Amino acid sequence: MAIDQCTRCGKPGDPIEEPLYMGKIEPLIKAHVCVPCWAEWANQRVIIINELRLNLGEADGRKQLKDQMWTFLSLPQQDE
Ligand SMILES: [Zn+2]
């Protein structure tokens, strides 16, 4: 199903087809983010991990990365 309006670029777009291994937030990402914007995040993710020296082996590092992703993609706020 195509995306009506991507939360990052605001345009309609093709949905992400590949598995993202994001667990329960994966359907939300796929419903809101187009393929080019996800590719942008994939690049930005590497930069952020290096700049903030995130340790993804720790829950805190993973949470920080998720927060950064939420902001970057302008995903809708949700209750945890
Ligand atoms: Zn987009």
Side-chain angles (χ1 to χ4, degrees):
M1 197 173 73
I3 296 164
D4 292 336
Q5 191 179 27
C6 168
T7 49
R8 175 157 167 83
C9 65
K11 293 183 230 163
D14 292 326
I16 303 158
E17 304 278 3
E18 77 224 56
L20 304 179
Y21 308 106
M22 300 293 289
K24 63 182 177 166
I25 61 171
E26 180 156 336
L28 185 123
I29 293 168
K30 287 184 168 177
H32 287 98
V33 180
C34 72
V35 170
C37 289
W38 183 255
E40 267 186 65
W41 164 247
N43 289 328
Q44 187 69 17
R45 184 180 184 276
V46 176
I47 295 166
I48 287 171
I49 290 169
N50 288 330
E51 278 187 354
L52 302 183
R53 298 176 188 276
L54 297 180
N55 181 355
L56 301 183
E58 293 176 359
D60 188 54
R62 292 194 295 274
K63 167 142 194 349
Q64 281 193 57
L65 184 64
K66 189 177 153 197
D67 289 347
Q68 294 281 340
M69 181 184 77
W70 229 259
T71 304
F72 184 85
L73 297 172
S74 303
L75 289 166
Q77 292 303 320
Q78 56 161 20
D79 298 325
E80 299 271 332

